[in-house]
Amino acid sequence: MSKKNNLSRRKKQHEFDLQREREEKEKKVKKLQAKKNKMKVDGSEKKKKKGGSGFQVGKRKLKTKLTEVAKAKAAQAMELDK
């Protein structure tokens, strides 16, 4: 028999593979459990968004408010839809 086909080697390799699979499963379960716990913590502390009239890009704040002309155009478009 060749060295690779030796019964004791195959048996040891099989046991090693089983042990590795068990460790991987345990690792996965731990990771999943940690993820669930993390989600619970994050869900309980909900952060409120600040109601701003724009958003920050770099150091400049871009305004998202409608100008008077844009408001008039929007109102006119709403009237046309009716």
Side-chain angles (χ1 to χ4, degrees):
M1 286 206 326
S2 67
K3 283 186 179 179
K4 288 181 183 176
N5 203 21
N6 194 351
L7 182 64
S8 61
R9 271 187 198 260
R10 281 190 291 162
K11 198 172 187 180
K12 284 180 185 175
Q13 186 65 39
H14 180 69
E15 287 173 7
F16 179 77
D17 289 340
L18 289 176
Q19 185 181 358
R20 183 184 284 167
E21 284 177 15
R22 252 186 267 123
E23 287 173 1
E24 284 177 5
K25 274 186 183 179
E26 288 173 8
K27 202 173 185 182
K28 237 182 214 180
V29 168
K30 276 186 181 179
K31 206 172 192 181
L32 187 65
Q33 198 68 32
K35 213 176 207 181
K36 281 182 182 178
N37 290 341
K38 188 177 179 186
M39 288 172 75
K40 285 180 186 174
V41 171
D42 289 344
S44 62
E45 283 183 33
K46 290 185 179 177
K47 293 181 181 179
K48 293 183 179 177
K49 289 186 178 179
K50 294 180 182 177
S53 63
F55 53 94
Q56 195 86 16
V57 177
K59 292 183 180 179
R60 235 179 234 152
K61 188 171 184 182
L62 298 178
K63 293 189 177 180
T64 55
K65 283 188 176 178
L66 289 175
T67 61
E68 297 302 319
V69 176
K71 281 183 186 177
K73 282 184 179 178
Q76 190 178 20
M78 292 293 278
E79 286 177 16
L80 290 176
D81 289 342
K82 290 180 182 178

